[in-house]
Amino acid sequence: MKIAIVGVGMIGGAVARAARGLSGVQEIVGIEPLASHAAQALELGLVDIVASEVPADADLVVLAAPNEQLPDWVVTLRDHAGVVMDVGSVKGYIVREVRRRLGETPANFVPCHPLAGSEKHGPANAPGDLFRNRLVIVLPQRASSAAAVRRARAFWSGLGAILHEMDIDTHDRTLAATSHLPHLLAFAFMCSIRDEDLRYSGGGFADFSRIAASSPELWWGIFRLNREELLQALDGFQNQVDALRAALVTDAEADGLALLAEAAGRRRQL
Amino acid sequence: MKIAIVGVGMIGGAVARAARGLSGVQEIVGIEPLASHAAQALELGLVDIVASEVPADADLVVLAAPNEQLPDWVVTLRDHAGVVMDVGSVKGYIVREVRRRLGETPANFVPCHPLAGSEKHGPANAPGDLFRNRLVIVLPQRASSAAAVRRARAFWSGLGAILHEMDIDTHDRTLAATSHLPHLLAFAFMCSIRDEDLRYSGGGFADFSRIAASSPELWWGIFRLNREELLQALDGFQNQVDALRAALVTDAEADGLALLAEAAGRRRQL
């Protein structure tokens, strides 16, 4: 099996590293325009070769390029003989843009989203076993071939992931709430902190704000590409903040305690 | 040295556990009205005995009771021969209430705040070495005796903590921003999450929301007791959320990226 990985940053690098452990994988080809990432990926042995184009004989093409570029790649590879999977955080804009240009998504294309990541970036930060026991959402399209979906699922299963199928709208709404919103809030929180207060941060602060160290470019892209769902999730959050603020201002203990208990109860389910 | 600990929950239990390692500590007495906590603290060997009152011959009294009860304890122990320290998260209301009742804070009283904790509670969850290399804020009052301040500092130093002095107003404003605000936001965030979305939480979600599993009673108390400072910190956060929202709605990439870069840069300083 020959695997091509478009974009060998942290996630692409982690896919490469994990795929090394799969039986039958003979060659991993990286497509990476950033010279420093390309050199690192080669040096670390994540990829066997760096190419400027996806080889025609690749069995699997993993698109881990910046989100904005994914529709272009799907269109470019529409007739590729291998299976094409993206690993992006937002799905609706890809499918809409590809359909606008091609009328339908290609049969070889299976959108995927591994719920695994890190605030770090670059292939040097690619963890060795990022996908084991982590959820990978597979989003087969009506035009996706059954064989392509089967191979996509088999690939992630081989990396130890737990598979879950979802439709595009549910995905973008769910991820807005569970991932994009907390990132936006953590960024806003860190903007509100004074530099001189940083030294008084305890473990709660550190965990709460960890994701605010994530790449601004990556996350601005995600926020934009999932804007409507993110704004809806933000409205939902804002309602809860307003309710808590009102309870605090009016010293309404029963209301305040009920809100905190609801939150704590839900969090303890995790 | 005999140490009395009023309230042997998670923090009081951690103080007891850590104090066991100090040379010269002969007896640790717990004052704990909650029968289950008292029994656990004895069983775990955190305290040697559970008493209903603070022994007159205690050299050090650590007040780790619920925040609301701290002013009462300081007033009750105003003539105690030992050093009295609280470990509460808010300070202004204690000092104001004690001054209102006594005219001045007692000479034996040294407010302290170890910046260490956990979302868990109860003595069974008391970590063994909670204070090593953690910041403990010591807040000597104008009426605190030099000897009391010296003994308070020596105690925390003995537990491996890093000491920092601060005035009450700076403490309450700083902690509102670095601790109370993220707790409020994490609680509000968890209120806004649908139960069915919980299974799609990744590592970012888990870290961001961890503190929302904290005790509702404890945190409602902290929010109330530091209400004015917390509302100010919340206003500052709200301004940043509004700026991010505006950038998103108008697709103002330069503004959005600048906000995210400021947040990421500050977080990476940690």
Side-chain angles (χ1 to χ4, degrees), chain A residues 127-190:
Chain A
D129 205 13
L130 187 60
F131 308 106
R132 186 156 306 279
N133 296 322
R134 302 301 285 274
L135 211 59
V136 171
I137 303 178
V138 181
L139 305 102
Q141 297 304 290
R142 56 188 176 225
S144 304
S145 80
V149 175
R150 227 170 17 243
R151 292 195 76 168
R153 294 182 60 100
F155 177 74
W156 293 113
S157 287
L159 303 191
I162 301 157
L163 301 185
H164 186 78
E165 288 203 5
M166 215 183 230
D167 68 85
I168 295 276
D169 290 346
T170 305
H171 173 275
D172 284 2
R173 189 178 67 240
T174 303
L175 271 289
T178 59
S179 171
H180 311 166
L181 175 62
H183 277 80
L184 183 146
L185 299 177
F187 280 119
F189 171 71
M190 283 311 301

Side-chain angles (χ1 to χ4, degrees), chain A residues 164 200 210 227 248 267-268, chain B residues 164 200 207 213 227 248:
Chain A
H164 186 78
Y200 305 110
R210 178 179 63 77
R227 179 179 0 228
L248 201 51
R267 180 58 180 79
R268 288 170 189 167
Chain B
H164 187 78
Y200 305 109
D207 280 358
R227 178 179 1 227
L248 201 51

Side-chain angles (χ1 to χ4, degrees), chain A residues 115 121 134-135 137 164 166 173-174 177-178 181-182 184-195 197-217 219-220 223-224 227 230-231 234-238 240-241 244-245 247-249 251-253 256-257 259-264 266-270, chain B residues 115 121 134-135 137 164 166 173-174 177-178 181-182 184-195 197-217 219-220 223-224 227 230-231 234-238 240-241 244-245 247-249 251-253 256-257 259-264 266-270:
Chain A
L115 298 194
H121 62 280
R134 302 301 285 274
L135 211 59
I137 303 178
H164 186 78
M166 215 183 230
R173 189 178 67 240
T174 303
T178 59
L181 175 62
L184 183 146
L185 299 177
F187 280 119
F189 171 71
M190 283 311 301
C191 282
S192 80
I193 288 292
R194 289 172 293 257
D195 280 325
D197 288 348
L198 280 180
R199 62 178 295 192
Y200 305 110
S201 61
F205 182 113
D207 280 359
F208 178 81
S209 63
R210 178 179 63 77
I211 51 180
S214 303
S215 159
E217 292 75 20
W219 282 94
W220 178 254
F223 294 167
R224 277 193 66 233
R227 179 179 0 228
L230 176 55
L231 289 174
L234 182 55
D235 286 344
F237 167 80
Q238 192 68 58
Q240 301 298 330
V241 169
L244 254 176
R245 181 195 281 270
L248 201 51
V249 168
D251 207 14
E253 184 169 36
L257 273 177
L259 287 166
L260 302 193
E262 184 192 347
R266 193 167 292 137
R267 180 58 180 79
R268 288 170 189 167
Q269 287 178 37
L270 268 196
Chain B
L115 299 193
H121 63 278
R134 303 299 286 271
L135 211 59
I137 302 177
H164 187 78
M166 215 182 231
R173 189 178 68 238
T174 301
T178 59
L181 175 63
L184 183 145
L185 299 177
F187 280 120
F189 171 72
M190 283 309 302
C191 282
S192 80
I193 289 291
R194 291 172 291 258
D195 280 325
D197 288 347
L198 280 180
R199 63 178 294 194
Y200 305 109
S201 61
F205 182 113
D207 280 358
F208 179 82
S209 63
R210 177 179 63 80
I211 51 179
S214 303
S215 159
E217 292 75 20
W219 282 94
W220 178 253
F223 293 167
R224 276 192 67 235
R227 178 179 1 227
L230 175 55
L231 289 173
L234 182 54
D235 286 343
F237 166 80
Q238 192 69 58
Q240 301 299 331
V241 169
L244 255 176
R245 181 195 282 270
L248 201 51
V249 168
D251 206 14
E253 184 169 37
L257 274 177
L259 287 165
L260 302 194
E262 184 191 347
R266 193 167 292 136
R267 180 59 181 77
R268 289 171 189 168
Q269 285 177 39
L270 269 196

Side-chain angles (χ1 to χ4, degrees), chain B residues 71 74-75 77-79 94-109 111 140-145 168:
Chain B
V74 175
V75 169
L77 296 168
R78 64 186 176 279
D79 295 322
I94 304 177
V95 168
R96 282 192 299 272
E97 175 65 9
V98 170
R99 287 205 180 122
R100 192 185 66 76
R101 288 161 68 178
L102 301 181
E104 189 46 279
T105 57
N108 64 3
F109 176 49
Q141 296 304 291
R142 57 188 177 227
S144 304
S145 80
I168 294 277

